[in-house]
Amino acid sequence: MPEGNVIHHQARRLTRAFGQQVVEVDSPQGRFATGASVVNGQRFVDAQAFGKHLFIAFAGPAVAEQHAAKRRSGDADNWVHVHLGLFGKWRIGKGLPPAERGLIRMRVIGETHYAELRGPTACEVINFAERDALLARIGPDPIRRDADPQRAWQRVQRSKAPIASLLMDQRVFAGVGNIYRAEVLFRHNISPFRPGCELTWADFAAIWADLVDLMRQGTKRGRIDTVRTEHRPEAMGRDPRQDRHGGEVYVYRRAQRECFLCGEEIQLMDLQGRKLYWCPGCQVA
DNA sequence: GCGTGATGTTGAA
DNA sequence: TCAACCTCACGCC
């Protein structure tokens, strides 16, 4: 159930575990058997995340011989594209994989580690053109150094859709999910219902910069914390065990509880099939 | 043990 | 707008 920070975190772990190794790939569950047979025995170059999409670059013998000196993602022959959807999970461990538990779509075995993938929405072998087409479909990802926020700003500025919808739209902001959208709007006192075209450049720039900070921090920690130091439980005298969902948050999954800052009741509604949380006291317009 | 819901996306109606 | 997909943890018997 990951937002972009988790995918980037996993990409780093996978690269650390398998980078540049010849690996064994199979599909115990069988649904990725054909794809697995394509990359089995190839070199796992690296894993990279773009928003919530993960691409594992594989290089076959031809590339290995021609470009022995070059060891970058661009040298790959093919990629395994993985999207976890709502339920997908990676398990990465040392040594040999345990006796199979549950349905494993894809399994990677390297020199020192193994990885098991369960329940992804997408797990497929794609070529350069298909990867390009996929990347063209998604917006800039605040976690990536090569992201161009102007692309997101152009869309926000021209849209009458509420900013809460735009933040979840992967064509606008890649990698943002339900927690970051709720929390970043709270942190900037912006109503989730304000149309994109009514955001100023300053509003947008502040949101973007904050997403960069929060999501990069979330990548390092592998979890989401959005509460500022001065509002943390220790600083405000709250019970630190209350209202936690992995990390510390202001509004996500806090419906009907009191806002830490203004005391109003956190609201919840369904917006396009996803739960939207906000504080009516702090996020007025 | 059972039912529910979850940090998501797609494609048909 | 809605159902379908896929898995697992958690709350409530």
Side-chain angles (χ1 to χ4, degrees), chain A residues 177-228:
Chain A
N178 209 7
I179 305 179
Y180 283 124
R181 78 118 166 230
E183 295 294 312
V184 80
L185 289 174
F186 178 91
R187 284 167 58 96
H188 296 274
N189 300 310
I190 293 173
S191 162
F193 307 107
R194 195 191 309 172
C197 57
E198 288 178 23
L199 264 76
T200 65
W201 161 252
D203 293 327
F204 172 85
I207 287 176
W208 179 269
D210 209 21
L211 286 172
V212 170
D213 279 356
L214 291 173
M215 294 177 76
R216 284 190 188 159
Q217 191 167 75
T219 302
K220 276 188 202 144
R221 299 187 189 175
R223 64 174 218 201
I224 297 178
D225 289 285
T226 61
V227 175
R228 298 186 174 97

Coordinates of all heavy atoms in Angstrom, one line a residue, chain A residues 177-228:
Chain A
G177 N 0.4 10.1 -2.9 CA -0.7 9.3 -2.6 C -1.6 9.9 -1.5 O -1.5 11.1 -1.2
N178 N -2.5 9.2 -1.0 CA -3.6 9.7 -0.1 C -3.0 10.4 1.2 O -3.6 11.3 1.7 CB -4.6 8.6 0.3 CG -5.9 9.1 0.5 OD1 -6.2 10.3 0.3 ND2 -6.8 8.3 1.0
I179 N -1.9 9.9 1.7 CA -1.4 10.5 2.9 C -0.7 11.8 2.7 O -1.1 12.8 3.3 CB -0.4 9.5 3.6 CG1 -1.0 8.1 3.9 CG2 0.1 10.1 4.9 CD1 -0.1 7.1 4.5
Y180 N 0.2 11.8 1.7 CA 0.9 13.1 1.4 C -0.1 14.1 0.9 O 0.1 15.3 1.2 CB 1.9 12.8 0.3 CG 3.2 12.2 0.8 CD1 3.7 11.0 0.3 CD2 3.9 12.8 1.9 CE1 4.8 10.4 0.8 CE2 5.1 12.2 2.4 CZ 5.5 11.0 1.8 OH 6.7 10.4 2.3
R181 N -1.1 13.8 0.1 CA -2.0 14.8 -0.3 C -2.8 15.5 0.8 O -2.9 16.7 0.9 CB -3.0 14.3 -1.4 CG -4.2 13.5 -0.9 CD -5.5 14.1 -1.2 NE -6.5 13.1 -0.9 CZ -7.5 12.8 -1.7 NH1 -7.6 13.4 -2.9 NH2 -8.3 11.8 -1.4
A182 N -3.2 14.7 1.8 CA -4.0 15.2 2.9 C -3.0 16.1 3.8 O -3.4 17.2 4.2 CB -4.6 14.1 3.8
E183 N -1.8 15.6 4.0 CA -0.9 16.2 4.9 C -0.3 17.5 4.4 O -0.2 18.5 5.1 CB 0.2 15.2 5.3 CG -0.4 14.0 6.1 CD -0.9 14.4 7.5 OE1 -0.2 15.1 8.2 OE2 -2.1 14.0 7.8
V184 N 0.0 17.5 3.1 CA 0.7 18.7 2.5 C -0.3 19.8 2.4 O 0.0 21.0 2.7 CB 1.3 18.4 1.1 CG1 0.3 18.4 0.0 CG2 2.5 19.3 0.9
L185 N -1.6 19.5 2.2 CA -2.6 20.6 2.1 C -2.8 21.1 3.5 O -3.0 22.3 3.7 CB -3.9 20.0 1.6 CG -3.9 19.8 0.1 CD1 -5.2 19.1 -0.4 CD2 -3.6 21.0 -0.7
F186 N -2.8 20.3 4.5 CA -2.9 20.7 5.9 C -1.8 21.7 6.3 O -1.9 22.7 6.8 CB -3.0 19.6 6.9 CG -3.1 20.0 8.3 CD1 -4.3 20.3 8.9 CD2 -1.9 20.3 9.1 CE1 -4.4 20.7 10.3 CE2 -2.0 20.8 10.4 CZ -3.2 21.0 11.0
R187 N -0.6 21.2 5.9 CA 0.6 22.0 6.3 C 0.7 23.4 5.7 O 1.4 24.2 6.2 CB 1.9 21.2 5.9 CG 2.2 20.0 6.9 CD 3.2 19.1 6.3 NE 4.5 19.7 6.0 CZ 5.6 19.8 6.8 NH1 5.5 19.2 8.0 NH2 6.7 20.4 6.4
H188 N -0.1 23.6 4.6 CA -0.1 24.9 4.0 C -1.4 25.6 4.1 O -1.7 26.6 3.4 CB 0.4 24.8 2.5 CG 1.8 24.3 2.4 ND1 2.8 25.1 2.5 CD2 2.3 23.0 2.4 CE1 4.0 24.4 2.5 NE2 3.7 23.2 2.4
N189 N -2.3 25.1 5.0 CA -3.6 25.7 5.3 C -4.4 25.9 4.0 O -5.1 26.9 3.8 CB -3.4 27.0 6.0 CG -2.7 26.9 7.3 OD1 -3.1 26.0 8.1 ND2 -1.7 27.6 7.5
I190 N -4.3 24.9 3.1 CA -5.1 25.1 1.8 C -6.3 24.1 1.8 O -6.1 22.9 2.1 CB -4.2 24.8 0.6 CG1 -3.1 25.9 0.5 CG2 -5.0 24.7 -0.7 CD1 -2.0 25.6 -0.5
S191 N -7.4 24.6 1.5 CA -8.6 23.8 1.4 C -8.5 22.8 0.3 O -8.1 23.2 -0.8 CB -9.9 24.6 1.2 OG -10.9 23.8 0.7
P192 N -8.8 21.5 0.5 CA -8.7 20.5 -0.5 C -9.6 20.8 -1.7 O -9.4 20.3 -2.8 CB -9.2 19.2 0.2 CG -9.8 19.6 1.4 CD -9.3 21.0 1.8
F193 N -10.6 21.7 -1.5 CA -11.6 22.0 -2.6 C -11.2 23.2 -3.4 O -11.9 23.5 -4.4 CB -13.0 22.2 -2.0 CG -13.3 21.0 -1.1 CD1 -13.4 21.2 0.3 CD2 -13.6 19.8 -1.6 CE1 -13.7 20.1 1.1 CE2 -13.9 18.7 -0.8 CZ -14.0 18.9 0.6
R194 N -10.1 23.8 -3.1 CA -9.8 25.0 -3.9 C -9.4 24.5 -5.3 O -8.5 23.6 -5.5 CB -8.6 25.8 -3.3 CG -8.5 27.2 -4.0 CD -7.3 27.9 -3.7 NE -6.9 28.1 -2.2 CZ -5.8 28.6 -1.8 NH1 -4.9 29.1 -2.7 NH2 -5.5 28.7 -0.5
P195 N -9.9 25.1 -6.4 CA -9.6 24.7 -7.7 C -8.1 25.0 -8.0 O -7.6 26.0 -7.5 CB -10.5 25.6 -8.6 CG -11.6 26.1 -7.7 CD -11.0 26.2 -6.3
G196 N -7.5 24.1 -8.8 CA -6.1 24.3 -9.2 C -5.8 25.7 -9.7 O -4.8 26.3 -9.3
C197 N -6.7 26.2 -10.6 CA -6.5 27.5 -11.2 C -6.5 28.7 -10.2 O -6.2 29.8 -10.5 CB -7.5 27.8 -12.3 SG -9.2 27.6 -11.8
E198 N -7.0 28.4 -9.0 CA -7.0 29.5 -8.0 C -5.8 29.4 -7.0 O -5.8 30.1 -6.0 CB -8.3 29.5 -7.2 CG -9.5 30.0 -8.0 CD -10.8 29.9 -7.3 OE1 -10.9 30.0 -6.1 OE2 -11.8 29.9 -8.1
L199 N -4.9 28.5 -7.3 CA -3.6 28.5 -6.5 C -2.7 29.5 -7.1 O -2.6 29.7 -8.4 CB -3.0 27.1 -6.6 CG -3.3 26.2 -5.4 CD1 -4.7 25.7 -5.5 CD2 -2.3 25.1 -5.2
T200 N -2.0 30.3 -6.3 CA -1.0 31.2 -6.8 C 0.3 30.4 -7.0 O 0.5 29.3 -6.5 CB -0.6 32.3 -5.8 OG1 -0.1 31.7 -4.6 CG2 -1.9 33.0 -5.4
W201 N 1.2 31.0 -7.8 CA 2.5 30.4 -8.0 C 3.2 30.1 -6.6 O 3.8 29.1 -6.4 CB 3.4 31.2 -8.9 CG 4.9 30.9 -8.7 CD1 5.9 31.6 -8.1 CD2 5.5 29.6 -9.2 NE1 7.1 30.9 -8.2 CE2 6.8 29.7 -8.8 CE3 5.0 28.5 -9.8 CZ2 7.7 28.7 -9.1 CZ3 5.9 27.5 -10.1 CH2 7.3 27.6 -9.7
A202 N 3.0 31.1 -5.7 CA 3.7 30.9 -4.3 C 3.1 29.7 -3.6 O 3.8 28.9 -3.0 CB 3.5 32.2 -3.5
D203 N 1.7 29.5 -3.7 CA 1.1 28.3 -3.1 C 1.7 27.1 -3.7 O 2.1 26.2 -3.0 CB -0.4 28.3 -3.4 CG -1.2 29.4 -2.8 OD1 -0.8 29.8 -1.7 OD2 -2.2 29.8 -3.4
F204 N 1.7 27.0 -5.0 CA 2.2 25.8 -5.7 C 3.7 25.6 -5.3 O 4.1 24.4 -5.0 CB 2.1 25.9 -7.2 CG 2.8 24.8 -7.9 CD1 2.1 23.6 -8.1 CD2 4.1 24.9 -8.4 CE1 2.7 22.5 -8.7 CE2 4.7 23.8 -9.0 CZ 4.0 22.7 -9.2
A205 N 4.5 26.6 -5.4 CA 5.9 26.4 -5.1 C 6.2 25.9 -3.7 O 7.0 25.1 -3.4 CB 6.7 27.8 -5.3
A206 N 5.3 26.4 -2.7 CA 5.5 26.0 -1.4 C 5.1 24.5 -1.2 O 5.7 23.7 -0.5 CB 4.6 26.8 -0.4
I207 N 4.0 24.1 -1.9 CA 3.6 22.7 -1.9 C 4.6 21.8 -2.5 O 5.0 20.8 -1.9 CB 2.2 22.5 -2.7 CG1 1.1 23.1 -1.8 CG2 1.9 21.1 -3.0 CD1 -0.3 23.1 -2.6
W208 N 5.1 22.2 -3.6 CA 6.2 21.4 -4.3 C 7.4 21.2 -3.4 O 7.9 20.1 -3.2 CB 6.5 22.0 -5.7 CG 7.6 21.1 -6.3 CD1 8.9 21.3 -6.2 CD2 7.4 20.0 -7.1 NE1 9.6 20.3 -6.9 CE2 8.6 19.5 -7.5 CE3 6.2 19.3 -7.6 CZ2 8.8 18.4 -8.3 CZ3 6.4 18.2 -8.4 CH2 7.7 17.7 -8.7
A209 N 7.9 22.3 -2.9 CA 9.1 22.3 -2.1 C 8.9 21.4 -0.9 O 9.8 20.6 -0.4 CB 9.5 23.7 -1.6
D210 N 7.7 21.4 -0.3 CA 7.4 20.6 0.9 C 7.3 19.2 0.5 O 7.8 18.3 1.3 CB 6.0 21.1 1.5 CG 6.0 20.9 3.0 OD1 7.0 20.7 3.6 OD2 4.8 20.8 3.5
L211 N 6.7 18.9 -0.7 CA 6.6 17.5 -1.1 C 8.0 16.9 -1.3 O 8.3 15.8 -0.9 CB 5.8 17.3 -2.4 CG 4.3 17.5 -2.3 CD1 3.7 17.5 -3.7 CD2 3.7 16.4 -1.5
V212 N 8.9 17.7 -1.9 CA 10.3 17.3 -2.1 C 10.9 16.9 -0.7 O 11.5 15.8 -0.5 CB 11.1 18.4 -2.8 CG1 12.6 18.1 -2.7 CG2 10.7 18.6 -4.2
D213 N 10.8 17.8 0.3 CA 11.3 17.5 1.6 C 10.7 16.3 2.2 O 11.4 15.4 2.7 CB 11.0 18.7 2.5 CG 12.0 19.8 2.3 OD1 13.0 19.7 1.5 OD2 11.9 20.9 3.0
L214 N 9.4 16.3 2.3 CA 8.7 15.2 3.0 C 8.9 13.9 2.4 O 9.1 12.9 3.0 CB 7.2 15.5 3.1 CG 6.7 16.7 3.9 CD1 5.2 16.9 3.7 CD2 6.9 16.4 5.4
M215 N 8.8 13.8 1.0 CA 8.9 12.6 0.4 C 10.3 12.0 0.3 O 10.6 10.8 0.4 CB 8.3 12.7 -1.1 CG 6.8 12.9 -1.0 SD 6.0 13.2 -2.6 CE 6.0 11.5 -3.2
R216 N 11.3 12.9 0.3 CA 12.7 12.4 0.3 C 13.1 11.9 1.7 O 13.7 10.9 1.8 CB 13.7 13.6 -0.1 CG 13.7 13.8 -1.6 CD 14.8 14.7 -2.0 NE 14.6 15.0 -3.5 CZ 15.1 16.0 -4.1 NH1 15.9 16.9 -3.4 NH2 14.9 16.2 -5.4
Q217 N 12.5 12.6 2.7 CA 12.7 12.1 4.1 C 12.0 10.8 4.2 O 12.5 9.9 4.9 CB 12.1 13.1 5.0 CG 12.5 12.9 6.4 CD 12.1 14.1 7.3 OE1 10.9 14.4 7.5 NE2 13.1 14.9 7.6
G218 N 10.8 10.7 3.6 CA 10.1 9.4 3.7 C 10.8 8.3 3.0 O 10.6 7.1 3.3
T219 N 11.6 8.6 2.0 CA 12.3 7.6 1.3 C 13.4 7.0 2.1 O 13.7 5.8 2.2 CB 12.9 8.2 0.0 OG1 11.9 8.7 -0.8 CG2 13.7 7.2 -0.8
K220 N 14.1 7.9 2.9 CA 15.2 7.5 3.7 C 14.6 6.6 4.9 O 15.2 5.6 5.2 CB 15.9 8.7 4.4 CG 17.0 9.3 3.4 CD 17.8 10.3 4.2 CE 18.4 11.3 3.2 NZ 18.5 12.6 3.6
R221 N 13.5 7.1 5.5 CA 13.0 6.4 6.6 C 12.1 5.2 6.3 O 11.9 4.3 7.1 CB 12.2 7.3 7.5 CG 12.9 8.5 8.0 CD 12.1 9.3 9.0 NE 12.7 10.5 9.3 CZ 12.2 11.4 10.1 NH1 10.9 11.3 10.5 NH2 12.8 12.5 10.4
G222 N 11.6 5.2 5.0 CA 10.7 4.1 4.6 C 9.3 4.2 5.3 O 8.6 3.3 5.4
R223 N 9.0 5.4 5.8 CA 7.7 5.7 6.3 C 7.4 7.2 6.2 O 8.2 8.0 5.8 CB 7.6 5.2 7.8 CG 8.6 6.0 8.7 CD 8.4 5.7 10.1 NE 8.5 6.9 10.9 CZ 8.8 6.9 12.2 NH1 9.0 5.7 12.8 NH2 8.9 8.0 12.9
I224 N 6.1 7.5 6.6 CA 5.7 8.9 6.3 C 5.5 9.7 7.6 O 4.7 9.3 8.5 CB 4.4 8.9 5.5 CG1 4.6 8.3 4.1 CG2 3.8 10.3 5.4 CD1 3.4 8.2 3.2
D225 N 6.3 10.7 7.8 CA 6.1 11.6 9.0 C 5.9 13.0 8.4 O 6.7 13.5 7.6 CB 7.4 11.6 9.8 CG 7.6 10.4 10.6 OD1 7.0 10.1 11.6 OD2 8.5 9.6 10.1
T226 N 4.9 13.7 8.9 CA 4.6 15.0 8.4 C 4.4 16.1 9.5 O 4.2 17.2 9.2 CB 3.3 15.0 7.5 OG1 2.2 14.6 8.4 CG2 3.4 14.1 6.4
V227 N 4.5 15.7 10.7 CA 4.3 16.6 11.8 C 5.6 17.4 12.2 O 6.6 16.8 12.4 CB 3.8 15.9 13.1 CG1 3.6 16.9 14.2 CG2 2.4 15.2 12.8
R228 N 5.5 18.8 12.1 CA 6.6 19.6 12.4 C 7.1 19.4 13.9 O 6.3 19.1 14.8 CB 6.2 21.1 12.2 CG 5.9 21.4 10.8 CD 5.7 22.9 10.6 NE 5.4 23.2 9.2 CZ 4.2 23.4 8.6 NH1 3.1 23.2 9.4 NH2 4.1 23.6 7.3

